[in-house]
Amino acid sequence: MAEHLSQSELDYPFKLLEYFNGFRVSKVIFSACELGVFDLLLGAPGPLSARHVAHELRTSVDGMERLLDALVGMEVLEVEPAEGTALYSSSDVANLYLARGSSKSLHHMMTYQNQTVYPLWTHLGDAVREGRNQNEKTFGLQPEDPFQAVYRSDDEMLKFMGLMDSSWILDGHDIATAFDLSCFQKIVDLGGCTGALAREMAKAYPSSSVSVLDLPTVVDAAKKYFSRENDDVVFHSGDFFLGDVPPADLYVLARIVHDWPEEKCLSLLRKLHDTCRPGGGVLLVEAMLLETRRGPLMAQIFSLNMLVQMEGRERPPSGYTRLLNDAGFHDVQVCRTGKSYDAILAVR
Ligand SMILES: C[S@@+](CC[C@H](N)C(=O)[O-])C[C@H]1O[C@@H](n2cnc3c(N)ncnc32)[C@H](O)[C@@H]1O
């Protein structure tokens, strides 16, 4: 029985207890982020007491002290005792990833997880029982297309776009360079959202033209809120299921296939196969499962997220290879980056 568990875990279930508390650990970071703790500490001339932080952020002193202590326990903040009071400061990691103003800030990612994903996940048991997303129970919406729920208000759309944008701060370069794509002159990122991954592609392949196609409201918001100075990424408005896709040598589908049921993915891939010339290709970007079903845990969690919020799933390489082959693509190559997202390239 339970041969895979180490003896120490049987003596005392350290790992299980850590998992039980996982949601509370997330909430500590999310709440600190929402209250502005990391921004205040980053901007402060030196370490601050809990009283000072509480005063600046208009919270209770007792509550703030407990929150700061938990962040110290999580090794996100540092503490030093000084004349009977504790002084708190940020770690380099918190300054880089948790403060809002940093160029590598994951603030948007945390906001979306906290405000949208967390409520959805309270219905995970129902999602597993029913085998479908929980947009109705969580938001009172069961639309035809799960993106109508994702984009149910302008505020939600911007939050989601912020989440999408954040991922490529971490993984964009690895994905753009997972394969040498310099032979593809015209690259179109379908469902490219804010253009964050497309910009990484444009940086890695300066002699290629890179454009994004997304839904009209998303393109408008991307241009208004997420554009960069000297942006060399062009945006097209459209619907990749209902309309034509712009001609390209390479189509990028990042976190698209995992959103949709098998038949919709196949019809989209077949459309791309029909549109691109021989030698043209498709690059899928997803968090890939292991063939052994033993991980990675994050990809398994993402697959549950697709159940709770969307209509798709995560797959192992064989799942993508089968889809691509069924759509007519061949020479499927897989690159595991070792980070959150992996790349799969196939050609026509
Ligand atoms: C999960 S997001 C991925 C965004 C981006 N590729 C990334 O990885 O950051 C899915 C994207 O597909 C877009 N999308 C959904 N349905 C679409 C459709 N029918 N036509 C075009 N884009 C669509 C969404 O607006 C969204 O930007």
Side-chain angles (χ1 to χ4, degrees):
M1 188 191 83
E3 279 155 17
H4 61 287
L5 289 180
S6 67
Q7 188 56 44
S8 66
E9 199 65 20
L10 283 173
D11 288 342
Y12 194 85
F14 290 102
K15 215 186 214 178
L16 286 184
L17 292 177
E18 208 179 302
Y19 292 162
F20 293 172
N21 278 299
F23 77 98
R24 288 192 256 228
V25 172
S26 310
K27 272 291 189 182
V28 168
I29 294 222
F30 297 160
S31 305
C33 174
E34 196 174 285
L35 291 164
V37 169
F38 304 115
D39 309 315
L40 179 71
L41 291 176
L42 175 64
L48 301 178
S49 67
R51 181 169 295 281
H52 189 139
V53 176
H55 176 76
E56 293 287 335
L57 301 179
R58 299 172 203 281
T59 71
S60 68
V61 177
D62 178 39
M64 182 52 73
E65 192 170 50
R66 296 183 205 206
L67 188 72
L68 294 174
D69 283 338
L71 290 163
V72 171
M74 290 160 64
E75 300 178 5
V76 169
L77 297 186
E78 285 156 15
V79 68
E80 55 191 74
E83 293 167 14
T85 182
L87 293 178
Y88 299 88
S89 55
S90 259
S91 62
D92 291 343
V93 167
N95 282 337
L96 189 61
Y97 293 114
L98 304 181
R100 219 180 278 239
S102 151
S103 62
K104 291 201 167 189
S105 175
L106 302 178
H107 183 89
H108 291 305
M109 192 183 276
M110 289 183 285
T111 305
Y112 196 80
Q113 308 279 21
N114 190 25
Q115 297 180 4
T116 303
V117 178
Y118 188 80
L120 274 162
W121 274 65
T122 58
H123 303 293
L124 177 62
D126 289 334
V128 170
R129 203 172 290 121
E130 298 163 13
R132 63 183 185 128
N133 71 49
Q134 295 298 302
N135 289 320
E136 185 163 13
K137 228 164 271 147
T138 318
F139 309 119
L141 288 166
Q142 191 54 52
E144 287 269 296
D145 175 339
F147 274 97
Q148 287 163 359
V150 172
Y151 296 151
R152 62 193 174 281
S153 67
D154 287 351
D155 189 42
E156 276 300 318
M157 182 173 73
L158 288 178
K159 270 199 282 182
F160 179 80
M161 292 177 76
L163 167 79
M164 292 296 109
D165 206 68
S166 301
S167 300
W168 305 122
I169 293 171
L170 298 178
D171 292 33
H173 177 74
D174 294 77
I175 291 299
T177 56
F179 298 102
D180 179 2
L181 304 174
S182 55
C183 58
F184 299 110
Q185 287 305 298
K186 200 167 164 35
I187 301 176
V188 176
D189 186 355
L190 294 172
C193 205
T194 65
L197 181 59
R199 284 184 195 99
E200 291 293 336
M201 295 272 172
K203 230 189 281 168
Y205 306 104
S207 58
S208 303
S209 79
V210 185
S211 59
V212 163
L213 176 132
D214 212 301
L215 299 166
T217 47
V218 176
V219 167
D220 289 348
K223 287 182 181 164
K224 191 162 172 195
Y225 299 105
F226 294 90
S227 66
R228 307 285 194 277
E229 239 172 75
N230 305 320
D231 210 347
D232 38 15
V233 169
V234 172
F235 284 85
H236 313 275
S237 293
D239 183 317
F240 51 51
F241 287 126
L242 300 181
D244 290 336
V245 293
D249 303 314
L250 179 72
Y251 291 105
V252 178
L253 292 173
R255 298 186 283 186
I256 303 298
V257 169
H258 78 170
D259 286 336
W260 303 101
E262 184 103 352
E263 59 284 3
K264 283 191 109 166
C265 296
L266 252 182
S267 89
L268 176 57
L269 288 170
R270 285 193 175 123
K271 180 186 285 191
L272 303 185
H273 183 265
D274 292 347
T275 311
C276 79
R277 58 167 180 78
V282 58
L283 182 79
L284 307 185
V285 180
E286 299 287 358
M288 258 189 310
L289 295 167
L290 294 175
E291 299 291 351
T292 60
R293 313 189 80 98
R294 298 220 161 96
L297 175 60
M298 206 46 74
Q300 292 165 329
I301 299 277
F302 287 170
S303 200
L304 282 170
N305 201 72
M306 291 305 114
L307 175 68
V308 169
Q309 189 171 17
M310 306 301 290
E311 294 179 347
R313 59 182 312 111
E314 306 300 346
R315 295 175 170 79
S318 58
Y320 294 108
T321 302
R322 195 178 41 74
L323 267 178
L324 287 161
N325 288 159
D326 286 356
F329 290 99
H330 58 84
D331 289 348
V332 180
Q333 297 177 65
V334 168
C335 175
R336 283 194 187 271
T337 65
K339 298 190 180 159
S340 299
Y341 292 99
D342 306 300
I344 305 130
L345 180 66
V347 291
R348 179 180 161 172

